[in-house]
């Protein structure tokens, strides 16, 4: 109970935000304590989209789990696919072919752009800037057409395999990507013209939801949300995987750690990803996509249908699965939202003994209350939007 | 493994607490005595040459049928030196472990998840509640003796009714 200057008594009010609210983009629930319009306390309740992936993994073979990874960060499913198979490949101690490596880099970076585009559209929509959404969805559609052409699906891609990919790049891919990468920098200019120096956008995001570098690290923030606070931590540079050290790109870093800097970081990241895709496309090597490793790779369909050996081989891999040696690995990759890690414990069986998914949204969201407490209720939407919390990844 | 700086320093500094160490695919891990876990973690974070300031992940593994049953796993990373390290602690079934929230704030939610999924208790945690499952959910889903489709004798409709009433 607080006393206002006029002597009138005011009371702290409890407000339930979500689970169904247009600004939560999924099922988030926050219980707020408000003093007037100031947020005194914010307590997020999560778990509405909990599907028990870690438990499911213990009952599936290593290959079967790939489909579940699509449903983690459903804005960039290909990145999750790649992150997961990299962890299993690390467990097996194998390395993929150069062509496969480049394919993965290209698809990951295109996914990152697609993720950031959807984020940009919806985050600005939440703050009333409707136009940006129409612009970003235009380019996102182009990207989803590419994904559809490559994987046959727009969302549930499941395109990676342990030791390779489900298929080679289709015809017309190069032209599609070239069309995209050549025009995309101009499109980013268009978004920036709409928002970067827009007075309302700046007022709604500058100084809102700021978090210091030290605290951001302690809270385990990663990805653009951490870099906006001025910490240069990008796994593509720090512990390169898939040969990212061969590409020439920069990691944008912010200063203030507020919603505006998170926006600037993501905008610049899209530019850099576009550059990586261009470089990778120009150096895309020929050769086989998949490893020639019968213990890991499924045989060609032709040999399964027409030869006895192929059929037995296929049967063994499907029923028993691949059997990595006893041991445990942690492998993290730079997903669009930050560090996506898989910690796998193997006991030499066809199924993982334990699979832990370290999802970026989970850690990013755990610092949310720290960013909003003391702020205004209307800023909550701005902060929530700037973090890009994906419920599928948050709850797993 | 022998030339791993972190391991060398830990063995020097905490000869009583470092129980065992190993390496798989160039990833080094160490088993630490439960009594010294906070000291070790604080040292790993603060030492000028190690500086593990980023708790990447904290989780547990249920080794049902083995003694001790549980294993806590801390995956650490240093932003400055760009290296990783893994600390593990063995726990018996009814044992609790000191909370590491004071060391890294991100441990808060991670420990809540381990509490929810494995039923491991964290001493000194500021807000130890379930995080994914409903508060009155029976059992801990990631334990190995928990059935994949959940316990059979739970009346979910009854549970739902109770929840709707209490709100």
């Amino acid at each position: 109970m607080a006393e206002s200057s006029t002597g009138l008594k005011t009371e702290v009010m409890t407000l339930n935000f979500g689970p169904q609210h247009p600004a939560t983009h999924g099922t988030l629930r926050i219980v707020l304590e408000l003093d007037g319009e100031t947020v005194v306390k914010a307590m997020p309740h999560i778990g509405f989209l909990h599907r028990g992936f870690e438990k499911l993994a213990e009952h599936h073979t290593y290959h079967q789990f790939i489909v579940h990874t699509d449903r983690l960060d459903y804005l960039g499913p290909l990145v999750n696919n790649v992150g997961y198979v990299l962890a299993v490949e690390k467990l097996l101690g194998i390395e993929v072919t150069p062509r496969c490596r480049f394919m993965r880099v290209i698809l990951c970076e295109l996914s990152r752009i697609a993720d950031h585009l959807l984020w940009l559209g919806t985050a600005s929509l939440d703050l009333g800037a409707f136009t940006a959404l129409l612009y970003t969805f235009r380019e996102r559609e182009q990207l989803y057409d590419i994904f559809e052409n490559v994987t046959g699906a727009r969302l549930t891609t499941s395109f990676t395999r342990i030791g390779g990919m489900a298929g080679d790049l289709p015809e017309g891919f190069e032209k599609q990507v070239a069309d995209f990468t050549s025009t995309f920098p101009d499109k980013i200019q268009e978004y920036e013209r709409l928002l970067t120096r827009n007075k309302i956008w700046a007022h709604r995001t500058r100084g809102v939801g700021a978090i210091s570098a030290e605290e951001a690290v302690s809270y385990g923030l990663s990805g653009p949300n951490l870099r906006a606070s001025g910490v240069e931590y990008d796994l593509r540079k720090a512990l390169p995987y898939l040969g990212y050290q061969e590409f020439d790109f920069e990691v944008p870093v912010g200063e203030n750690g507020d919603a505006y800097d998170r926006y600037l970081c993501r905008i610049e990241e899209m530019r850099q990803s576009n550059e990586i895709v261009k470089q990778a496309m120009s150096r895309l090597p020929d050769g086989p996509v998949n490893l020639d490793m019968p213990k890991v790779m499924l045989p060609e369909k032709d040999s399964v249908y027409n030869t006895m050996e192929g059929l037995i081989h296929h049967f063994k891999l499907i029923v028993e699965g691949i059997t990595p040696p006893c041991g445990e690995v942690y492998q993290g990759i730079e997903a669009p939202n930050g560090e996506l890690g898989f910690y796998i414990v193997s006991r030499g069986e066809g199924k993982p003994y334990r699979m832990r998914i370290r999802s970026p949204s989970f850690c990013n969201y755990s610092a949310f209350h720290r960013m909003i407490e003391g702020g205004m209720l209307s800023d909550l939407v701005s902060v929530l939007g700037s973090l890009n919390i994906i419920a599928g990844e948050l709850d797993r | 493994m022998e030339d791993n700086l972190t391991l060398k320093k830990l063995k020097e500094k905490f000869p009583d607490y470092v129980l065992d160490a190993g390496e798989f695919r160039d990833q080094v891990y160490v088993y630490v005595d439960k009594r010294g876990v906070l000291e070790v973690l604080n040292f790993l974070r603060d030492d000028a040459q190690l500086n593990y300031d980023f708790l990447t992940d904290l989780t547990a593994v249920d080794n049902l049928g083995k003694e001790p049953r549980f294993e806590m796993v801390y995956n650490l990373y240093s932003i400055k030196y760009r290296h990783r390290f893994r600390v593990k602690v063995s726990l018996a079934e009814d044992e609790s472990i000191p909370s590491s929230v004071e060391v890294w704030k991100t441990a808060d939610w991670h420990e809540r998840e381990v509490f929810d999924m494995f039923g491991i208790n964290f001493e000194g945690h500021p807000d130890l509640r379930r995080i994914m499952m409903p508060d009155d959910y029976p059992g801990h889903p990631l334990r190995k003796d928990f059935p994949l489709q959940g316990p059979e004798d739970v009346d979910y409709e009854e549970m739902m009714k109770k929840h709707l009433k209490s709100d």
Side-chain angles (χ1 to χ4, degrees), chain A residues 55 328 330 353-354 358, chain B residues 27 56 59-60 62 88 144:
Chain A
K55 183 81 175 175
E328 47 174 68
Y330 175 84
Y353 185 75
R354 166 97 173 99
R358 188 266 186 212
Chain B
Q27 300 185 353
T56 312
T59 189
D62 178 8
K88 306 216 272 183
K144 285 283 175 185

Side-chain angles (χ1 to χ4, degrees), chain B residues 55-72:
Chain B
L55 176 66
T56 312
D57 190 27
L58 183 164
T59 189
V61 180
D62 178 8
N63 295 314
L64 184 65
K66 281 189 187 169
E67 276 307 325
R69 178 172 174 180
F70 293 109
E71 217 169 68
M72 286 294 303

Side-chain angles (χ1 to χ4, degrees), chain B:
Chain B
M1 188 173 95
E2 271 63 42
D3 55 354
N4 185 288
L5 177 73
T6 314
L7 192 60
K8 226 189 291 175
K9 283 200 140 194
L10 275 184
K11 276 184 175 162
E12 240 172 62
K13 177 106 182 149
F14 304 103
D16 296 346
Y17 293 150
V18 175
L19 303 175
D20 194 10
E23 185 179 14
F24 185 72
R25 306 272 184 238
D26 301 328
Q27 300 185 353
V28 180
Y29 59 85
V30 62
Y31 279 95
V32 169
D33 194 309
K34 194 194 94 178
R35 287 171 298 139
V37 63
L38 278 191
E39 263 179 78
V40 170
L41 293 179
N42 267 314
F43 170 74
L44 288 173
R45 187 195 60 181
D46 296 334
D47 187 83
Q49 276 177 293
L50 303 176
N51 200 223
Y52 289 99
D53 49 356
F54 194 79
L55 176 66
T56 312
D57 190 27
L58 183 164
T59 189
V61 180
D62 178 8
N63 295 314
L64 184 65
K66 281 189 187 169
E67 276 307 325
R69 178 172 174 180
F70 293 109
E71 217 169 68
M72 286 294 303
V73 184
Y74 301 82
N75 275 305
L76 312 180
Y77 176 74
S78 161
I79 289 180
K80 189 171 171 193
Y81 296 110
R82 301 182 169 185
H83 50 200
R84 288 196 193 282
F85 194 67
R86 189 176 304 137
V87 175
K88 306 216 272 183
V89 182
S90 293
L91 279 184
E93 190 165 344
D94 46 3
E95 243 182 320
S96 56
I97 182 166
S99 163
S100 49
V101 175
E102 293 295 318
V103 194
W104 299 282
K105 284 176 182 158
T106 181
D108 183 346
W109 277 26
H110 284 303
E111 286 181 350
R112 276 178 68 189
E113 193 178 350
V114 171
F115 168 73
D116 188 355
M117 294 295 154
F118 291 91
I120 295 174
N121 225 335
F122 292 88
E123 299 155 21
H125 189 286
D127 184 25
L128 199 60
R129 288 177 292 127
R130 282 182 180 266
I131 191 163
M132 297 288 178
M133 313 303 287
D135 289 339
D136 50 355
Y137 192 77
H140 302 284
L142 278 179
R143 286 189 172 200
K144 285 283 175 185
D145 50 7
F146 188 92
L148 179 62
Q149 300 190 342
E152 277 170 16
D153 51 347
V154 181
D155 191 343
Y156 288 101
E157 261 177 44
E158 200 52 47
M159 220 159 123
M160 183 77 96
K161 270 185 209 155
K162 226 169 71 193
H163 276 277
L164 290 174
K165 244 184 246 164
S166 68
D167 273 2

